[in-house]
């Protein structure tokens, strides 16, 4: 069995930047936008597929926006990360217990609340 070549992080970063080209601050390394695209590009293809079909861009952009909110709102310093980045699916990034409810909540793959 021959394995498909693994796409480089640089190649993934270039494809993500092309999809998000109207977004500003993608090259400012201190910006949440840059941190978000680096996080997305570092994810393996098994975790996060970068769409080649423009009809799939809205779902990918939703994923980017949630990652962007995470960095913009200081997510790395949160006491509870609510399972952010636990999987490649942002709709799984939540916690629901008797003590805490938080994260990303979706219906039919679309974010409905944070």
């Amino acid at each position: 069995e021959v394995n498909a070549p693994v796409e480089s992080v640089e190649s993934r970063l270039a494809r993500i930047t092309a999809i998000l080209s109207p977004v500003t601050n993608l090259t400012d390394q201190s910006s949440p936008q840059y941190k978000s695209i680096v996080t997305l590009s570092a994810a393996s293809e098994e975790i996060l597929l970068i769409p080649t079909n423009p009809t799939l861009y809205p779902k990918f952009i939703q994923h980017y926006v949630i990652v962007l909110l995470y960095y913009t709102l200081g997510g790395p310093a949160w006491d509870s990360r609510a399972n952010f980045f636990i999987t490649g699916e942002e709709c799984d990034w939540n916690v629901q217990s008797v003590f805490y409810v938080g994260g990303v909540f979706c219906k039919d793959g679309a974010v409905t609340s944070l």
Side-chain angles (χ1 to χ4, degrees):
E1 178 177 313
V2 178
N3 292 329
V6 175
E7 184 178 16
S8 71
V9 171
E10 292 80 15
S11 174
R12 289 176 61 80
L13 184 60
R15 290 196 311 129
I16 291 168
T17 301
I19 292 169
L20 300 172
S21 61
V23 177
T24 59
N25 292 328
L26 289 178
T27 57
D28 177 357
Q29 293 185 7
S30 65
S31 74
Q33 293 88 340
Y34 181 82
K35 291 174 185 172
S36 298
I37 64 168
V38 167
T39 297
L40 295 177
S41 63
S44 69
E45 284 286 334
E46 293 84 36
I47 303 242
L48 179 67
L49 290 174
I50 301 169
T52 55
N53 183 338
T55 63
L56 300 175
Y57 287 1
K59 175 72 172 144
F60 182 79
I61 292 169
Q62 172 181 280
H63 190 89
Y64 164 76
V65 169
I66 297 300
V67 174
L68 178 60
L69 282 170
Y70 174 82
Y71 283 111
T72 300
L73 299 174
W78 293 346
D79 289 336
S80 174
R81 292 192 185 168
N83 289 330
F84 268 67
F85 307 122
I86 202 81
T87 69
E89 177 57 49
E90 67 275 9
C91 293
D92 293 335
W93 299 348
N94 59 66
V95 174
Q96 299 180 61
S97 73
V98 292
F99 303 107
Y100 177 79
V101 175
V104 180
F105 296 93
C106 301
K107 182 175 182 178
D108 300 325
V111 173
T112 57
S113 64
L114 301 172

